[in-house]
Amino acid sequence: MVVTTSAALGVPAEAGGGPLSPGSGRADARPRRRAGVRQANVPVYVALIIGALASLSPILIVLVNSFRPNSEIVRDPLGVPATLDFSNYVNAWFSASLGTYFLNSVIVTAGALALCLVLALPVGYAIGRWTFAARTFLGVLFLAGLMVPLRIGVVPLARLYERLGLNDSLFGLILIYAAIGLPMAVLILSAFYAQLPDSLEDAALVDGAGHGILFLRIMTPLVRPAIAAVLVLNVGPAWNDFFMPLIFLRSFDSYTIPVGITTFFTEHSADRGLLFAGIIIAILPVAIFFSLAMKHVVRGLTAGIGK
């Protein structure tokens, strides 16, 4: 009987087991499993990349054509500009009054978000932290506000605005968008306020802090992820909405961007380069805002994971 050892084969023996030891087998299998998992994910990554490119392709076409004159776009819609021509952006901003429409959209969106937060923060705090008789009723009332679209009441709302003199007014739009975003904002904020520990509230009250200081300086800074989520969910509908400005705005000077861009083309003619430049200008602020705000939302929502 011949016994073959690692020393006889010229292979140094490892401490704690030979080549077929259980530990070495597990060590060799682990990288193979990881490599197998990575190889299995390759089709998924390829499919996701293709889907992302397909989603971005309309925006890329608009971006490329915004640097081309209208004659080139008509002749070859999918062509590439020979040189970067920024005249479409200059003409859209100054000659086509896009700067005025842009400022109106900023005023309406910022005003609606500010008013929505001013109203939603104390209501969400009261529903989330206090116990009173109408608490459940208020929660159900704001929940019902998500189920009823405001557009079905646009006719009586237009008549009310006519009596109050709010037609063709940016302040009237601010009230509408604040009312649209208020139910969701209250529900999100109340859920975050309810999750805060009672020990913070008890310690602040023992130290002599009033309910106002407790709300503004202690509790509200802790729900910044919820505030960011409210902003992210409401900035898009207020900035991109076309229906409400079309109904309630009458003069060109009060148009927001979605309605103002429609003045770039008529029934029989259209400057496509000017239109594409206006679309890019309208998209850019929202894209920047989402890229900055979503980072804070995700960071806040995942802060407690792994602790």
Side-chain angles (χ1 to χ4, degrees), residues 2-307:
V2 180
V3 179
T4 305
T5 62
S6 59
L9 294 176
V11 180
E14 297 288 342
L20 299 178
S21 63
S24 62
R26 285 194 299 269
D28 293 339
R30 190 175 297 123
R32 292 175 185 173
R33 286 198 297 269
R34 291 177 181 175
V37 171
R38 291 172 183 172
Q39 292 175 0
N41 288 338
V42 170
V44 178
Y45 293 150
V46 172
L48 292 176
I49 291 173
I50 294 175
L53 292 177
S55 301
L56 290 175
S57 58
I59 299 178
L60 293 177
I61 293 174
V62 171
L63 178 62
V64 170
N65 285 329
S66 67
F67 297 102
R68 304 173 65 198
N70 188 57
S71 58
E72 288 187 13
I73 299 174
V74 174
R75 185 171 59 252
D76 186 10
L78 299 179
V80 179
T83 58
L84 294 180
D85 186 6
F86 291 91
S87 60
N88 289 329
Y89 289 90
V90 176
N91 294 332
W93 188 265
F94 294 103
S95 302
S97 302
L98 187 63
T100 301
Y101 307 147
F102 186 91
L103 180 60
N104 292 338
S105 291
V106 170
I107 293 173
V108 170
T109 304
L113 293 178
L115 181 59
C116 182
L117 282 179
V118 168
L119 296 176
L121 282 171
V123 176
Y125 177 78
I127 295 176
R129 302 297 304 178
W130 294 353
T131 301
F132 51 96
R135 177 184 180 183
T136 303
F137 172 75
L138 288 177
V140 174
L141 184 64
F142 282 105
L143 182 61
L146 297 176
M147 305 176 186
V148 181
L150 189 60
R151 293 184 181 183
I152 65 175
V154 68
V155 174
L157 184 61
R159 293 178 179 176
L160 177 62
Y161 268 38
E162 190 71 33
R163 295 178 181 177
L164 297 177
L166 293 176
N167 278 332
D168 198 21
S169 168
L170 297 182
F171 180 69
L173 278 184
I174 290 174
L175 295 178
I176 291 174
Y177 293 134
I180 292 175
L182 188 61
M184 178 63 73
V186 169
L187 293 177
I188 293 175
L189 291 171
S190 62
F192 269 74
Y193 277 123
Q195 294 176 0
L196 297 179
D198 295 336
S199 58
L200 293 175
E201 184 175 356
D202 296 337
L205 294 177
V206 169
D207 290 340
H211 288 284
I213 295 177
L214 178 64
F215 165 64
L216 292 175
R217 297 186 180 182
I218 299 176
M219 293 300 186
T220 299
L222 297 177
V223 296
R224 283 178 293 183
I227 295 175
V230 169
L231 295 177
V232 168
L233 292 175
N234 288 314
V235 69
W239 182 271
N240 298 324
D241 185 46
F242 178 80
F243 182 79
M244 292 299 178
L246 181 66
I247 298 298
F248 292 99
L249 299 181
R250 310 290 172 78
S251 61
F252 289 97
D253 293 337
S254 60
Y255 280 175
T256 56
I257 279 186
V259 180
I261 288 180
T262 61
T263 62
F264 291 4
F265 55 90
T266 61
E267 182 179 358
H268 302 288
S269 64
D271 190 336
R272 293 165 180 81
L274 195 70
L275 176 63
F276 291 150
I279 292 174
I280 293 300
I281 293 176
I283 291 175
L284 192 59
V286 180
I288 295 174
F289 177 82
F290 270 79
S291 63
L292 296 177
M294 284 300 296
K295 188 165 44 177
H296 296 286
V297 174
V298 174
R299 183 182 305 169
L301 294 178
T302 60
I305 296 179
K307 292 186 179 180

